[in-house]
Amino acid sequence: MVPQHDTRSLWLRIGPMAVASVVSLCALIFVSIMILEGVSERLIRQQAEREAVAWASYIGASIDRMEEIAAGGAPTPPEREFLERMSKFGDVFRYKLFDPNGRLQLVSDSFTRGNAAPHDLGQHNATAARVVFTGQPFAEVHDGTDTPDHPEVYAEAYVPILRNGQIVAISEVYVDETATAALIKEDFAIFGVIIAGLTLLVLLVPLWALRLVTIELRQRNFDLNLERARAVQAESAKSTFLANMSHELRTPLNAIQGLSEMMIRGDLGALDHPKYLEYSKDINFSAGHLLKLVNDILDLSKIDAGKFELTESEFDLSHAIADSLRIARAWTNTERLVLSTDVVEGKFRVYADERAIKQILLNLLSNAAKFTPAEGEISVTGHIDSDGNAVVRVSDTGLGIPEKDLKQILEPFNQLRRPPGLQSEGTGLGLSLVKSMVELHGGNVSIQSRLGDGTTVTIILPAHRLRTDPATRS
């Protein structure tokens, strides 16, 4: 179960984002409505103007005597009948005719309402005069809501009537555009709802996805915390186990090894039967091997847990190499091998953990001895490179390592298969410990080998660990 304060903090982080999204959505809808309203009004105006101009042009082209009527002549009965029909046809509800000077000469109201002489007949119209001057039609849309006898939306268009390229009259027509405007607004309202819905969907999908991701992250965080607690518990159990194993195994193994050595030496008297001496040597060897295995596992575990502490001091590296070679020469598998070194006393001193350095060298010498046949050579060389680093190489003339095994040879418990004549006990931890201990000193390890041509392991300790007088480095 996720703690309640985690949920509150989660909503405190997501809440402002959700509020901002809702406010943004409302602002976007408002802006969209305003834009759609402006676009619909523009479309209504354009549509109304086109229809009004079309009607005015049609009427002007349908009456041949338009010039005479505009000059003050009375329309003939067919012309009067045509104008009456036009005033009642479709969306046209009024028609006017002006002479070339912009004076009103004819109004359809005089036909439809029985008004023979409208009060503005003969008066000058500025808009009609402007159309005469420009020669271009003019149209505009009006709101007739507050005007008696006018539709809610209507268009008023002035169109010049031409005869032989000359303007002989101005035709003005009034067209009811209420239905057209309502239809356009309805279409835009539907379009606006669709746009708003899509906008809402676009905003809600990320929010919903964010919610799902948040739930998933909370669950993963809970699982990770649980696994971390288990890992801490396991690490604690591991530390306890290693501490117990260190005491429970090392103590009796040391006793077995020490007592078996006493029996081999005959400190309390010689062993009567030869087999007893052979068995004692086997016991001593097995105890030593098992003790080394326990020590390697404990050291590797400490390094992995970050609990391996270096006990550093300044010492002569040649002494550590000489001590390691002296121990290696006592091994039974080195009796017929040539062990040598070119590192002389005082060549370079280092600041490091002397016990760890000796263990590194012994592990490398032990590996080299396991894979080097009789009459082979193992050498330890050292020098200081151009960067001031201490370089130590352990080389042998043994069997070498296949190229495919070089990458994983430094991994724990990784052992190479040896020929029957070179079988020797091993744990596969030696090179892994070498790598880990060298890296604890800030150095690195590399291996060069070719099958059948021996192996060279190179250890590089960083320059800051050298304490050698530059004059002695040559």
Side-chain angles (χ1 to χ4, degrees):
M1 183 177 179
V2 180
Q4 187 176 0
H5 64 84
D6 288 348
T7 305
R8 283 201 305 271
S9 62
L10 185 65
W11 281 111
L12 285 176
R13 292 194 299 269
I14 298 179
M17 185 184 301
V19 172
S21 300
V22 172
V23 173
S24 300
L25 175 62
C26 294
L28 184 59
I29 293 176
F30 176 76
V31 172
S32 300
I33 291 174
M34 297 300 295
I35 293 175
L36 291 176
E37 184 73 18
V39 173
S40 65
E41 290 292 340
R42 186 164 61 251
L43 286 177
I44 291 171
R45 184 171 63 253
Q46 292 174 352
Q47 179 69 15
E49 290 173 354
R50 283 196 299 268
E51 290 186 2
V53 169
W55 279 114
S57 300
Y58 172 71
I59 294 174
S62 299
I63 300 178
D64 295 333
R65 295 180 59 254
M66 192 62 72
E67 182 178 358
E68 297 178 14
I69 297 174
T76 64
E79 292 170 342
R80 181 186 180 96
E81 182 180 357
F82 172 77
L83 292 174
E84 288 179 359
R85 288 201 309 270
M86 288 303 305
S87 300
K88 299 176 182 179
F89 179 77
D91 297 326
V92 178
F93 65 92
R94 178 176 291 175
Y95 177 78
K96 292 182 180 181
L97 187 66
F98 298 88
D99 64 15
N101 296 318
R103 291 190 298 272
L104 180 62
Q105 298 294 333
L106 179 69
V107 181
S108 64
D109 290 353
S110 60
F111 307 140
T112 59
R113 300 180 184 177
N115 184 3
H119 67 279
D120 54 351
L121 196 65
Q123 292 185 4
H124 182 268
N125 186 287
T127 304
R130 185 172 64 197
V131 171
V132 173
F133 177 76
T134 61
Q136 298 294 325
F138 174 78
E140 58 184 348
V141 179
H142 299 282
D143 182 1
T145 305
D146 299 328
T147 305
D149 301 328
H150 284 69
E152 292 183 5
V153 180
Y154 66 94
E156 181 182 358
Y158 296 80
V159 179
I161 299 174
L162 302 178
R163 294 289 187 271
N164 298 322
Q166 299 292 325
I167 297 177
V168 298
I170 302 298
S171 175
E172 181 187 7
V173 65
Y174 291 76
V175 182
D176 185 355
E177 296 291 345
T178 303
T180 302
L183 183 61
I184 292 176
K185 287 186 176 182
E186 181 181 353
D187 291 342
F188 268 85
I190 295 173
F191 181 70
V193 171
I194 294 174
I195 292 296
L198 291 176
T199 304
L200 181 62
L201 182 64
V202 168
L203 288 176
L204 287 180
V205 166
L207 285 176
W208 179 255
L210 178 62
R211 181 176 180 274
L212 293 179
V213 170
T214 302
I215 293 175
E216 179 68 18
L217 289 177
R218 287 167 55 194
Q219 183 61 41
R220 289 190 180 185
N221 184 56
F222 175 77
D223 293 341
L224 286 175
N225 288 334
L226 184 61
E227 291 299 325
R228 182 169 58 187
R230 290 174 179 171
V232 171
Q233 185 178 6
E235 183 64 27
S236 175
K238 175 183 174 182
S239 299
T240 302
F241 169 75
L242 291 176
N244 292 335
M245 188 172 72
S246 175
H247 173 72
E248 298 296 334
L249 291 180
R250 278 177 169 171
T251 301
L253 285 174
N254 282 325
I256 292 172
Q257 194 173 30
L259 292 173
S260 61
E261 288 178 356
M262 289 178 58
M263 294 171 65
I264 294 171
R265 292 194 304 267
D267 291 350
L268 300 179
L271 297 175
D272 296 335
H273 200 288
K275 280 292 183 181
Y276 290 161
L277 180 61
E278 180 182 346
Y279 295 156
S280 297
K281 290 180 179 180
D282 291 341
I283 292 171
N284 182 265
F285 173 80
S286 299
H289 174 71
L290 188 56
L291 184 60
K292 182 180 183 304
L293 173 61
V294 171
N295 289 335
D296 286 349
I297 293 176
L298 290 173
D299 288 342
L300 193 61
S301 299
K302 287 181 180 179
I303 292 173
D304 289 340
K307 296 180 178 179
F308 190 94
E309 296 182 1
L310 296 177
T311 305
E312 297 176 322
S313 62
E314 183 179 333
F315 61 94
D316 194 327
L317 188 58
S318 65
H319 293 171
I321 294 174
D323 291 344
S324 300
L325 287 173
R326 185 165 50 254
I327 295 173
R329 289 189 180 99
W331 297 336
T332 56
N333 60 350
T334 61
E335 292 176 354
R336 301 180 62 184
L337 298 177
V338 178
L339 279 65
S340 63
T341 181
D342 68 349
V343 181
V344 297
E345 185 174 358
K347 186 173 184 178
F348 47 91
R349 299 177 64 81
V350 295
Y351 183 76
D353 187 326
E354 186 173 5
R355 186 192 70 83
I357 294 297
K358 287 182 179 179
Q359 185 173 354
I360 290 170
L361 292 169
L362 286 172
N363 284 352
L364 293 179
L365 291 171
S366 174
N367 270 11
K370 291 174 186 176
F371 290 92
T372 303
E375 311 305 329
E377 297 181 4
I378 300 175
S379 63
V380 181
T381 61
H383 69 278
I384 298 173
D385 64 14
S386 58
D387 295 326
N389 302 316
V391 180
V392 178
R393 288 191 174 95
V394 178
S395 305
D396 63 64
T397 59
L399 301 176
I401 303 172
E403 185 177 356
K404 63 182 180 66
D405 295 327
L406 283 175
K407 292 184 179 179
Q408 64 265 23
I409 193 64
L410 293 174
E411 299 299 323
F413 303 104
N414 198 313
Q415 289 181 286
L416 294 179
R417 182 174 298 177
R418 292 180 288 275
L422 291 176
Q423 288 296 334
S424 178
E425 298 295 334
T427 62
L429 294 175
L431 288 177
S432 178
L433 273 172
V434 168
K435 177 176 179 292
S436 298
M437 288 184 174
V438 171
E439 290 176 348
L440 283 176
H441 285 84
N444 59 78
V445 180
S446 62
I447 300 178
Q448 296 81 37
S449 182
R450 182 178 297 177
L451 195 61
D453 200 23
T455 301
T456 298
V457 181
T458 302
I459 299 170
I460 299 180
L461 296 177
H464 69 267
R465 290 196 171 274
L466 283 175
R467 297 294 186 270
T468 305
D469 185 351
T472 67
R473 296 186 178 185
S474 57

